[in-house]
Amino acid sequence: MTTPPMTDPALIDKSPAWQALLKHQQVLENTTLEQLFAQNPQRGQRFKASAAGLYFDYSKNLFSDETLGLLNELANQAQLSAAIEELFSGADVNNTEHRPALHTALRNPAASSGKLASALTQMRDAMNAFADRLRQGSEFGASGKVFRDVINLGIGGSDLGPRMIVAAFPELQAEGLRSHFAANVDSDVLKGILNQCQPETTLFLISSKSFSTLETLSNAGLAREWLEAAGFDNAQIACHFAAMTSQIEKAQHWGIKSERIFPMDESVGGRFSLWSSIGLPIAIALGSEAFRQLLDGASAMDRHFRSAPFSDNLPVLHGLLSIWSINFNDHHSRAVLPYIHRLGELPNYLQQLTMESLGKRVTKTGQACTYATGPVIWGSEGTNGQHSCHQLLLQGIGAVPVDFIATAKAHCQTLQHQYLLANCLAQSRALMLGKSYAQALEETRASGLDEDEAAQLAIHKAIPGNRVSNTLLLEEFTPQTLGALLAFYEHSVYVQSVIWQINAFDQWAVELGKTMSSAVLEALRQTQQDSDLDSSSKALIKHIQAHRTAPPKID
Ligand code: F6P
C-alpha cells in the first residue's frame, strides 16, 4: 500500500540532532555501564531527579553527557517546549479528531477557560457527592435497602485506571461497601461477581465514554436481566444504575436517570480519563478526599512537567531516554516492574496508555514514519517476576529496558519491605553488572566440579550484564504519589509522541477489530457458509458450528 506523497516538513529522523545521535551511538556502543560508573563514581548521584514525591534514578542507562546534550537538541528541534504549552493551553493536539486533550485540565480546572472550568468543577463535585453518599450509606436501591456492592461495567480506559487505583488502597474502602470491576464480554466475569451480590443492594456503573462499546453494553444487558429475574420493573431497575459517559442522550435512552449520569468531556481520551467522571469508582472506593489527593499529585507533576528545565524534568528525561533506547539502541519493548503488590495492575494500565497512544505509523500530517515508534509495554509485580521473566531479562538474547518502581518509605511490613527493596535494587545491579565468565568459572571450580565440567558449566552461568534500567522511588505510597506517577507516565508518552511527530490521542486501528467482529458474528450465526470470509475463518467457523449444541441466542 503506498501512502500519498506528502510535502510536509522533514521527518524527525532527517533532523541534524537525529543524525548526530546516530553517529554518537556508534561511538558509545562499545562503552559499558560498568565503565561509565568507573569513569564517574558519582554517576548515581549525578543522574537522578526528584519531583512531586518521586525520585527518578536514570543513571543505569547507557548515555554520556554528550548523549543528553544531543537528546536535548533533538527535543528542541522537535519543538517540545511549544508542544508542552499546546497540551496545557487546550490546543487541538488531537489533530485527527480536531480536539484538545483535557486530562491536565481535569486536575486543575481553575487553569481552564471559564465555561470549561465550571463544567469540570461541577462534574467533579457531583461525582464526589454521590460517592460520599454511597459511602455514608445514604443511597438506596429500589426496595429501600442501602447499596453494599458497586460494580463498574467498563473496559480499556473505562476500567484499567480505576481498577488499578481501587486495588491499590484496600484499607480506604468504606465499611460494608465492596467494589467490583467487570470488563470482558466473557459472561463468566460478571457472573462470578453477581454470585457474590444481592440484587436489592447492588449498584451498576456503566462506564463508557462512547456508550457504544460492545463488551460494556453486553454486561449492562446481563446486569439488567439479573435485576429483571429478581422481579424488578423498569423504574426499579433504573434505581440500580448510574453512568459515566460523554453520550448523555444514549445513556438516557438506555434507561439511566438523568441525575445518575456523570458527564465527561469528548476531549478527554479514554486512556487519560480516570481523572474525569470515569474515576467515580475510585471516589466511591477510596472516598472523595483520596480522589482529590490523587488529582493533586497529578497536578503537582503537571506543574513540574510544564516548568522544569529538560535536564531536571522527570517525564522529559524518561521520554527522551525511551527514544534513545528505541530508535538508537534498537530496544522495542519495556518492562515495568513495580515492587509493590498494590500496583500489580500498573503494567496493564501502562500497556494501554503507551501502546494505544504510541502504536502509530504515520505522523500527524500523514507521512509514513521512517523510524520505530511505540514500544511493547509489559510487566509484573516484583518479586514475582524474578521467578518467571527475569531469566530472559538477564540472560536472553537482546536487552529489554526495565522501569523498576518501589517505595522509599515502607508501604507494607518493614522486614518484607526491606526484602522488596533489596531484590529491586539487586535486580537493577544484576542487569547492569551481570556475571563474567571468569566469575562463573570461579564459582563452578569452587563447587568441586572437575576442570572440564567447571569450564563447561561456567559458559551457561555467565550473564552478559550491561542492560539498562530506570528506578523510580515513591517517597511513600499515597494517592498523591500515585497520581504523580501516573501523570509522569502520561507526560513521558506525550514527549515521545512529540519527538516522533505522531498523534498520541487517537486510536483509529481499534475500529477495525470491532467492524470485523460484526462480520464474523454474522457468519457464526448462519448455518450456510456464504460469507466472503477467508478460508481460515470459514474453516474455523465450520469446526465451531460442528461443536454447537444449540443455535446461538440472537440478542
Ligand atoms: O480500545 C478502544 C477504546 O476506545 C479505548 O480507547 C477506550 O478506553 C475503550 O475502548 C472503552 O471505550 P468507551 O469508554 O467508549 O467504552
Side-chain angles (χ1 to χ4, degrees):
M1 178 198 81
T2 51
T3 46
M6 305 298 292
T7 53
D8 285 88
L11 290 168
I12 191 68
D13 61 349
K14 308 297 182 291
S15 67
W18 187 288
Q19 294 305 315
L21 279 161
L22 283 175
K23 290 191 185 71
H24 172 67
Q25 195 282 332
Q26 286 166 356
V27 171
L28 204 65
E29 68 180 349
N30 298 319
T31 305
T32 66
L33 279 169
E34 203 166 356
Q35 287 166 341
L36 290 170
F37 274 86
Q39 287 160 16
N40 173 4
Q42 296 309 310
R43 185 178 173 87
Q45 280 300 327
R46 169 95 193 280
F47 296 117
K48 64 178 173 62
S50 295
L54 299 189
Y55 174 107
F56 179 43
D57 168 16
Y58 57 97
S59 62
K60 298 196 190 85
N61 284 281
L62 258 170
F63 66 82
S64 64
D65 285 312
E66 188 184 355
T67 321
L68 290 185
L70 290 172
L71 286 170
N72 214 49
E73 191 43 40
L74 181 69
N76 292 332
Q77 288 178 18
Q79 298 176 358
L80 179 59
S81 296
I84 292 172
E85 272 318 296
E86 280 183 350
L87 175 70
F88 284 96
S89 63
D92 283 1
V93 289
N94 179 354
N95 64 305
T96 61
E97 295 178 297
H98 313 293
R99 287 175 191 158
L102 291 181
H103 47 289
T104 56
L106 289 164
R107 50 235 190 184
N108 184 15
S112 317
S113 65
K115 191 162 169 280
L116 177 63
S118 56
L120 294 176
T121 306
Q122 200 178 349
M123 175 281 293
R124 194 164 71 187
D125 293 347
M127 67 179 268
N128 281 342
F130 181 60
D132 287 342
R133 286 200 305 276
L134 276 164
R135 291 169 60 86
Q136 291 149 12
S138 47
E139 279 289 333
F140 309 95
S143 59
K145 288 187 179 173
V146 169
F147 287 119
R148 292 285 178 220
D149 288 284
V150 179
I151 304 176
N152 190 75
L153 306 176
I155 196 163
S158 298
D159 166 74
L160 290 165
R163 179 194 293 263
M164 166 193 54
I165 296 167
V166 168
F169 298 98
E171 68 280 1
L172 294 180
Q173 187 80 42
E175 187 66 33
L177 187 63
R178 297 184 304 181
S179 300
H180 312 270
F181 291 85
N184 200 335
V185 73
D186 185 329
S187 52
D188 283 351
V189 175
L190 183 55
K191 188 177 160 192
I193 296 169
L194 295 179
N195 287 342
Q196 308 167 46
C197 303
Q198 300 301 324
E200 292 178 298
T201 57
T202 300
L203 174 70
F204 294 96
L205 306 178
I206 300 180
S207 179
S208 179
K209 176 180 172 183
S210 63
F211 215 89
S212 64
T213 302
L214 168 80
E215 296 91 335
T216 302
L217 293 183
S218 171
N219 279 327
L222 292 178
R224 174 185 284 275
E225 286 171 16
W226 186 65
L227 294 172
E228 284 167 348
F232 287 27
D233 63 25
N234 280 344
Q236 291 166 321
I237 286 170
C239 296
H240 290 260
F241 280 93
M244 302 87 87
T245 184
S246 67
Q247 303 302 311
I248 311 301
E249 284 175 18
K250 284 185 181 177
Q252 289 167 332
H253 181 69
W254 195 89
I256 309 291
K257 293 196 279 188
S258 297
E259 65 272 22
R260 283 281 187 81
I261 297 174
F262 298 92
M264 64 182 288
D265 196 290
E266 275 280 355
S267 296
V268 175
R271 52 195 174 275
F272 297 88
S273 65
L274 71 88
W275 322 99
S276 73
S277 57
I278 295 293
L280 178 58
I282 301 169
I284 292 169
L286 310 189
S288 59
E289 175 54 22
F291 187 66
R292 188 188 58 72
Q293 291 164 6
L294 183 82
L295 270 64
D296 284 354
S299 188
M301 183 54 74
D302 291 343
R303 291 193 296 276
H304 166 75
F305 177 52
R306 196 173 185 182
S307 61
F310 289 172
S311 56
D312 299 326
N313 194 308
L314 274 68
V316 170
L317 286 164
H318 185 273
L320 291 178
L321 287 168
S322 296
I323 297 284
W324 176 240
S325 281
I326 295 164
N327 297 104
F328 300 95
N329 289 278
D330 220 16
H331 302 323
H332 300 285
S333 82
R334 179 171 292 273
V336 177
L337 307 178
Y339 274 66
I340 309 169
H341 169 67
R342 293 161 177 265
L343 287 188
E345 294 287 339
L346 179 68
N348 280 344
Y349 170 79
L350 292 179
Q351 200 167 66
Q352 186 202 13
L353 174 66
T354 309
M355 295 175 74
E356 204 165 73
S357 298
L358 301 178
K360 311 290 167 66
R361 57 188 306 107
V362 296
T363 65
K364 294 179 88 165
T365 55
Q367 287 177 278
C369 295
T370 47
Y371 40 82
T373 55
V376 173
I377 299 294
W378 61 281
S380 67
E381 69 184 70
T383 59
N384 302 12
Q386 294 173 203
H387 305 275
S388 67
C389 56
H390 285 224
Q391 166 61 36
L392 181 138
L393 294 178
L394 287 160
Q395 219 176 29
I397 299 287
V400 176
V402 176
D403 282 358
F404 290 101
I405 301 170
T407 52
K409 192 174 158 193
H411 65 275
C412 63
Q413 286 189 219
T414 307
L415 174 60
Q416 284 68 28
H417 181 243
Q418 286 170 348
Y419 290 153
L420 279 169
L421 288 176
N423 276 279
C424 180
L425 273 56
Q427 289 298 315
S428 175
R429 267 178 63 75
L431 285 168
M432 173 170 73
L433 301 175
K435 182 189 292 183
S436 68
Y437 175 74
Q439 289 168 324
L441 185 58
E442 204 176 308
E443 267 180 32
T444 53
R445 278 175 177 155
S447 72
L449 293 173
D450 68 40
E451 190 53 23
D452 285 353
E453 282 178 318
Q456 189 57 29
L457 183 58
I459 295 169
H460 298 275
K461 294 185 79 172
I463 297 170
N466 204 33
R467 298 195 166 179
V468 301
S469 67
N470 294 314
T471 300
L472 279 149
L473 293 179
L474 281 66
E475 270 166 16
E476 55 183 335
F477 195 81
T478 62
Q480 275 103 324
T481 55
L482 181 52
L485 178 70
L486 300 180
F488 161 83
Y489 273 109
E490 283 179 345
H491 295 323
S492 171
V493 162
Y494 184 64
V495 167
Q496 295 170 68
S497 75
V498 171
I499 302 296
W500 289 326
Q501 302 163 306
I502 59 179
N503 180 351
F505 302 107
D506 60 9
Q507 55 285 322
W508 297 108
V510 298
E511 302 310 315
L512 180 62
K514 295 177 184 176
T515 47
M516 281 193 171
S517 68
S518 308
V520 174
L521 185 62
E522 213 33 59
L524 273 170
R525 286 171 166 171
Q526 287 161 6
T527 46
Q528 75 283 6
Q529 286 295 328
D530 61 359
S531 68
D532 58 359
L533 293 175
D534 60 277
S535 59
S536 161
S537 303
K538 281 182 180 174
L540 288 164
I541 289 169
K542 188 164 184 246
H543 184 73
I544 290 161
Q545 287 171 337
H547 285 74
R548 181 166 289 156
T549 47
K553 177 172 171 289
I554 297 194
D555 302 338

